[in-house]
Amino acid sequence: MCGIVGYIGSKEIKHELIEGLRELEYRGYDSAGIAVMQHGNIQAFKAVGKLNNLEEKTRNFETSGPGIGIGHTRWATHGKPTELNAHPHMGQYSYVVHNGIIENYREIKSMLEGEGVHFLSQTDTEVIVHLFEKEAADAEDAEALFKAFKHTIEQLDGAYAVLLITQKAPETIFFARKGSPMIIGRNSEGEIYFASSDAPLIGKAEEVAYMEDGVIGYATPDAIHAEPDHLEFVPLSGDKLSAQKGGFRFFMEKEIYEQYQVMSDTMIGRVLDEDVAFEELSNDFLEGIERIKICACGTSYHAALTSSYLFERQARMPVNVEIASEFRYKEPLLNPDTLFIVISQSGETADTLEALRMAKEAGLKTLAICNVDNSSIVRMADTSILTRAGIEKGVASTKAFATQTMVLWMLSLFFAKRRGSVDAKTVATETSFMHQVPRVLKEALDVHEKCKRLSKRYLHGHGFFFIGRDIFYPLALEGALKLKEISYLHAEGYPAGEMKHGPIALADAELFTVALMPKTILYDKTKSNVEELSARDSTILSISPEMFELADDFILTHPHAHPMLEFFEMMVVEQLLAMEIAIRLGNDVDMPRNLAKSVTVE
Ligand code: F6R
């Protein structure tokens, strides 16, 4: 949801900014832009579309010697993806980049227009730079300029991570953060970097500070000043290579293929020989917890929904799962015996973050299941379990979903053991199945060729139904979401038993049904539901360890003795199928239209 970068140093500034933006492009790719200041002059470039267009445009622009710069890659919220709406936005002598939403921009804009300011864009961001120049009209020295910047930020409502440069302070980047992530990094060469996530800083900064909400300050080659508190720098570790495609066509493909490896990380120290353990959850913390409420969005919501079956079945605990954007406004009844869990890959999803804030305010104990350490959600929650999936760059979430679901399965067993709803023998049996997950994820890749071949046939028609029962219903929702977000084909996930209550009216040969038919759970029931669709001529693709005579196509999975093992294998099949269909349609799988990886707006 927009990415911003900043740089202070002596390297080639354009290159540093564009390299940083490349790492953030997954956050938005409607347009990109940079502004570079050297010797008191600012030069800015913007281009609509992906970063390559900006690179092309700046081909002949080079800098040498010290300077500063800011950059932005945009996911449009206010105003179409045009060059005028691209960041950086400029005033008379200053430039700004912004990630987030300024909720009161209309009021500020009309006030400024009343004073004769002329706006070039339709964005909310542009008000920041004009407001700053109004506040800084008489400011000449650094102190007065920072005061003007502070007055500007104080007048903004909403969420922001802002970087601003001005010709009045040619060596300074002003920064402010509320509600949108921003990280500052530095190294022993005296370089300073800003970015919306730590990915662009890996290999550049030696130590980083994850800014807290409300931080405002400025950086020059000599000093970093922040208020109200000093920034706390910690060493930055990380392997740049792990964030590259490594020979795969798309990040999504790479991330599907590495699921079996990252899953082992997810399990380390948690799935033991015959037990499960979470050092993140103390007895004190869990004291008095009788029920669970989970809030999440999109794919993370599907992981949550899957777990509701596991928690209730194994731990015999009431579990309630809600979409975070709905939860926020329903005036929910929150009981103190409830553990409030949020699930998020990015840890920055605005709706989930707000749901978490509400739960905290209501005095609930809160737990974040998250992939990004130091993210806003991790920092806000009382405790967190990191999913350890590694950086996920494909906009369509794959390994994050796999690891979230695994953590939730482990957690449901952990609660079951704690509450005595299962005996030690069951815990041991369950963990023995858990240990098989990495192998299952690896073997599941065997169907890749088959998915490639099948993708030829599943390109047209008037839509897809993914159907399944029990935990395979949330998996059906996830399969449909994967397909629609990268192929742009219409797809719905449905409980198999619910089709007869309306949707079956759509059935004909042009309706593709992807039937999840595990052998370990409700096989005969699901089979009857698929037969009903087949009788109405729907084209059936069955995913099952058993041949289903009425299916038009089959993807045969390996036989497993536990529903969760079947679940993980079918999950990989869905991911590969969606990806191959999207590739065949010529889509950019990693950057599907209209989407962004991290949704930091409401
Ligand atoms: C779909 C997808 C999204 C996210 C959703 C929540 O593939 O990635 O639906 O799951 O935007 O994001 P997080 O998990 O970062 O809170």
Side-chain angles (χ1 to χ4, degrees):
M1 196 97 334
C2 297
I4 62 178
V5 294
Y7 176 70
I8 300 179
S10 300
K11 294 214 179 92
E12 220 283 303
I13 304 170
K14 172 190 83 176
H15 177 74
E16 292 304 300
L17 295 175
I18 289 188
E19 264 201 341
L21 290 178
R22 184 156 324 285
E23 297 293 331
L24 295 178
E25 201 181 8
Y26 67 94
R27 297 173 67 91
Y29 32 83
D30 289 333
S31 63
I34 55 170
V36 172
M37 175 144 59
Q38 276 204 308
H39 319 297
N41 292 322
I42 302 183
Q43 281 186 275
F45 302 86
K46 306 175 182 198
V48 172
K50 297 199 176 131
L51 201 54
N52 293 345
N53 300 346
L54 180 68
E55 266 193 302
E56 194 51 45
K57 215 163 175 176
T58 54
R59 188 176 289 281
N60 299 320
F61 170 66
E62 274 174 23
T63 57
S64 65
I68 66 175
I70 54 177
H72 188 272
T73 177
R74 177 168 188 246
W75 186 78
T77 56
H78 292 77
K80 289 205 161 84
T82 60
E83 200 162 307
L84 274 183
N85 288 333
H87 300 217
H89 289 286
M90 62 172 186
Q92 303 288 326
Y93 51 86
S94 316
Y95 282 79
V96 71
V97 291
H98 161 228
N99 167 28
I101 288 187
I102 307 302
E103 285 165 6
N104 60 338
Y105 84 99
R106 283 193 187 81
E107 293 88 309
I108 300 176
K109 188 170 178 174
S110 62
M111 179 269 284
L112 290 167
E113 279 175 335
E115 295 179 7
V117 175
H118 177 59
F119 279 79
L120 293 173
S121 76
Q122 299 148 324
T123 65
D124 52 338
T125 303
E126 197 183 343
V127 298
I128 304 174
V129 70
H130 295 303
L131 197 54
F132 170 75
E133 291 194 348
K134 172 179 148 77
E135 295 290 341
D138 301 321
E140 290 307 331
D141 59 20
E143 201 180 317
L145 284 165
F146 183 47
K147 209 163 159 193
F149 182 65
K150 280 207 283 192
H151 282 166
T152 306
I153 297 297
E154 276 159 20
Q155 293 171 65
L156 308 178
D157 291 340
Y160 47 79
V162 171
L163 296 178
L164 182 142
I165 58 175
T166 174
Q167 280 169 326
K168 287 191 172 190
E171 295 195 314
T172 308
I173 296 182
F174 294 93
F175 58 85
R177 187 236 151 155
K178 190 184 129 211
S180 298
M182 186 152 58
I183 300 159
I184 181 168
R186 62 186 179 194
N187 61 26
S188 46
E189 290 171 50
E191 292 171 299
I192 296 172
Y193 290 88
F194 292 87
S196 304
S197 83
D198 48 18
L201 306 181
I202 297 172
K204 306 254 178 207
E206 287 150 15
E207 48 176 20
V208 295
Y210 298 88
M211 291 187 201
E212 295 293 337
D213 263 354
V215 164
I216 184 162
Y218 60 87
T220 67
D222 307 316
I224 298 171
H225 171 84
E227 295 178 6
D229 300 314
H230 286 305
L231 298 173
E232 247 183 64
F233 281 86
V234 292
L236 177 68
S237 55
D239 172 8
K240 191 96 183 164
L241 278 179
S242 69
Q244 307 305 328
K245 273 188 227 164
F248 289 96
R249 294 168 293 174
F250 292 96
F251 279 112
M252 181 182 181
E253 187 175 32
K254 175 187 172 234
E255 287 158 6
I256 294 171
Y257 268 75
E258 69 193 15
Q259 289 179 115
Y260 74 92
Q261 287 158 327
V262 299
M263 194 57 96
S264 306
D265 293 339
T266 306
M267 291 161 58
I268 282 176
R270 295 168 177 167
V271 185
L272 313 175
D273 267 357
E274 298 196 334
D275 202 359
V276 275
F278 282 100
E279 63 178 24
E280 300 86 346
L281 302 174
S282 67
N283 282 337
D284 271 2
F285 179 72
L286 295 176
E287 184 65 39
I289 296 297
E290 288 300 327
R291 63 188 76 231
I292 290 176
K293 191 184 258 301
I294 315 183
C295 264
C297 301
T299 286
S300 299
Y301 168 74
H302 297 155
L305 210 54
T306 307
S307 76
S308 66
Y309 292 83
L310 307 176
F311 275 113
E312 298 210 347
R313 188 165 287 142
Q314 279 198 314
R316 310 304 295 157
M317 283 178 91
V319 175
N320 167 253
V321 177
E322 305 217 27
I323 290 179
S325 56
E326 285 299 308
F327 172 83
R328 290 179 67 166
Y329 297 105
K330 68 184 287 209
E331 298 176 28
L333 292 174
L334 297 173
N335 203 310
D337 66 356
T338 307
L339 174 64
F340 193 85
I341 305 181
V342 282
I343 305 177
S344 174
Q345 187 287 126
S346 61
E348 301 295 345
T349 301
D351 288 318
T352 311
L353 189 61
E354 178 58 20
L356 174 61
R357 197 191 54 73
M358 286 167 64
K360 279 203 79 153
E361 260 175 23
L364 265 55
K365 290 181 176 166
T366 58
L367 162 66
I369 296 177
C370 189
N371 195 34
V372 180
D373 196 4
N374 280 306
S375 58
S376 305
I377 283 178
V378 165
R379 281 182 291 147
M380 188 184 284
D382 295 329
T383 185
S384 55
I385 298 176
L386 293 176
T387 48
R388 306 175 185 159
I391 296 174
E392 188 180 67
K393 284 206 160 181
V395 163
S397 184
T398 51
K399 59 178 182 167
F401 175 72
T403 51
Q404 287 166 347
T405 313
M406 187 70 206
V407 163
L408 288 159
W409 180 18
M410 283 146 43
L411 201 59
S412 69
L413 187 62
F414 175 84
F415 272 98
K417 186 186 81 164
R418 212 185 121 76
R419 293 166 63 83
S421 58
V422 291
D423 56 19
K425 192 161 161 262
T426 312
V427 176
T429 316
E430 283 286 297
T431 51
S432 73
F433 285 122
M434 288 176 180
H435 282 295
Q436 296 179 39
V437 172
R439 176 184 55 77
V440 169
L441 291 170
K442 190 165 189 214
E443 286 173 5
L445 297 165
D446 294 348
V447 298
H448 196 164
E449 268 315 302
K450 173 92 182 188
C451 291
K452 244 182 226 171
R453 263 182 291 125
L454 278 177
S455 67
K456 279 187 255 176
R457 300 179 53 171
Y458 290 86
L459 299 175
H460 308 293
H462 58 66
F464 285 75
F465 269 99
F466 283 70
I467 61 168
R469 300 182 77 124
D470 203 276
I471 52 172
F472 294 85
Y473 159 52
L475 188 61
L477 291 174
E478 176 59 9
L481 178 60
K482 282 296 85 92
L483 183 67
K484 67 187 141 196
E485 67 184 332
I486 57 176
S487 72
Y488 321 141
L489 296 170
H490 180 74
E492 272 188 76
Y494 236 79
E498 186 68 9
M499 293 296 284
K500 56 187 174 294
H501 297 289
I504 203 164
L506 292 168
D508 64 20
E510 297 298 297
L511 178 84
F512 300 137
T513 300
V514 181
L516 304 179
M517 302 176 71
K519 279 297 283 181
T520 48
I521 207 160
L522 298 171
Y523 180 73
D524 291 330
K525 301 273 177 210
T526 312
K527 198 168 160 195
S528 311
N529 300 140
V530 183
E531 275 164 6
E532 287 153 16
L533 279 152
S534 164
R536 277 135 191 111
D537 250 0
S538 172
T539 299
I540 311 279
L541 167 59
S542 76
I543 304 178
S544 179
E546 189 161 301
M547 297 286 264
F548 174 52
E549 60 282 7
L550 295 178
D552 298 271
D553 288 301
F554 314 87
I555 294 182
L556 277 184
T557 50
H558 300 88
H560 298 295
H562 194 290
M564 283 306 288
L565 299 184
E566 295 209 270
F567 179 99
F568 280 118
E569 178 157 2
M570 290 188 188
M571 174 201 76
V572 175
V573 174
E574 287 183 340
Q575 294 166 343
L576 290 170
L577 190 66
M579 185 185 75
E580 287 304 334
I581 291 175
I583 292 175
R584 203 170 277 278
L585 288 167
N587 299 345
D588 184 341
V589 166
D590 285 334
M591 295 185 197
R593 70 184 185 203
N594 304 340
L595 296 178
K597 183 71 184 161
S598 171
V599 187
T600 52
V601 294
E602 192 180 331

